[in-house]
Amino acid sequence: MVKVLIVDDHRLFRSGVRAELGPQIEVIGEAEDVDTAVGAIEELKPDVVLLDVHMPGGGGQEVLRRVLGSGSQVRFLALSVSDAAEDVIGVIRGGARGYVTKTISGRELTDAIVRVSEGDAVFSPRLAGFVLDAFASTEAPSIDPELDSLTSREREVLRLIARGYAYKEIAKELFISVKTVETHVSSVLRKLQLSNRHELSRWATARRLV
């Protein structure tokens, strides 16, 4: 049995992951932000941590910095809605053993966890190229402070806006109300200093978030 800790700020998503994992995986705990994740890792000693990239308290890279910086041998597998190159490269440079997106099936995720626990590196197919390109270059990945200012849910809403979804469609996709979608869009517009959804779409496309 591979002992796993799930770190994600969405309770519903954590529950869904639990339900999808195979019998060779034992979920020994959950965490919803950086501080609770670091504490749970120290207390529970998981074999593999399923790590969201964007969450309160500094995100997945902060968890990696604090845990691996203390000499821990726990292995991390990033599981994120984001497939942006800067996110993938950032957590891999931070010490994660793999990166898969939330479109992955339960069977594939189970296999990825087992492989990471055995020391393999695992990536969703199109993400592997980002990592190869990054480590073939001597240049560090660029940091985007505007993108980093958005919460994981705001990024999800932004991505769907950029793909042309209507507010009602976004609400249905993310299991939230239309009013909550409007609140997230307003917050994103304010943080990025943009005026409307068309500017949001262009902004997201320029950063390959679509």
Side-chain angles (χ1 to χ4, degrees):
M1 296 284 284
V2 181
K3 296 185 296 183
V4 170
L5 176 73
I6 302 173
V7 180
D8 192 285
D9 61 342
H10 298 140
R11 181 181 58 82
L12 188 62
F13 178 76
R14 296 196 304 269
S15 298
V17 170
R18 274 182 177 268
E20 290 291 328
L21 292 176
Q24 60 269 59
I25 306 298
E26 178 188 4
V27 178
I28 60 172
E30 300 179 6
E32 62 183 12
D33 56 34
V34 170
D35 288 338
T36 57
V38 173
I41 292 167
E42 292 174 350
E43 177 185 355
L44 300 174
K45 304 292 191 296
D47 300 313
V48 176
V49 177
L50 277 183
L51 183 66
D52 193 14
V53 176
H54 300 285
M55 57 186 171
Q61 291 189 53
E62 178 64 12
V63 175
L64 290 163
R65 185 188 69 78
R66 289 169 58 177
V67 173
L68 298 181
S70 69
S72 173
Q73 298 300 307
V74 66
R75 292 183 169 122
F76 289 86
L77 173 61
L79 175 62
S80 177
V81 69
S82 172
D83 58 4
E86 62 268 25
D87 288 335
V88 179
I89 295 166
V91 296
I92 297 305
R93 286 191 184 277
R97 293 292 301 174
Y99 193 117
V100 293
T101 61
K102 290 181 177 179
T103 57
I104 195 171
S105 70
R107 180 184 57 77
E108 291 169 334
L109 181 57
T110 297
D111 179 64
I113 291 170
V114 171
R115 288 173 58 194
V116 166
S117 75
E118 295 172 346
D120 288 349
V122 181
F123 301 94
S124 293
R126 73 178 296 266
L127 307 185
F130 296 157
V131 179
L132 291 173
D133 290 344
F135 285 90
S137 170
T138 57
E139 297 181 1
S142 61
I143 297 173
D144 190 331
E146 289 184 314
L147 187 62
D148 224 32
S149 72
L150 303 182
T151 67
S152 58
R153 181 47 61 97
E154 287 169 349
R155 286 179 180 233
E156 291 172 346
V157 171
L158 171 60
R159 189 186 305 273
L160 293 175
I161 285 285
R163 289 176 178 171
Y165 281 58
Y167 285 4
K168 287 184 178 179
E169 294 172 324
I170 295 173
K172 183 177 180 181
E173 180 79 12
L174 300 180
F175 303 101
I176 57 179
S177 69
V178 174
K179 185 175 181 179
T180 300
V181 173
E182 293 172 348
T183 299
H184 285 311
V185 171
S186 296
S187 177
V188 172
L189 288 170
R190 184 181 69 254
K191 289 181 179 180
L192 301 182
Q193 299 182 355
L194 301 174
S195 302
N196 53 56
R197 63 179 297 160
H198 300 296
E199 291 184 359
L200 279 181
S201 296
R202 289 196 296 271
W203 190 93
T205 301
R207 285 161 176 78
R208 297 195 295 177
L209 299 179
V210 182

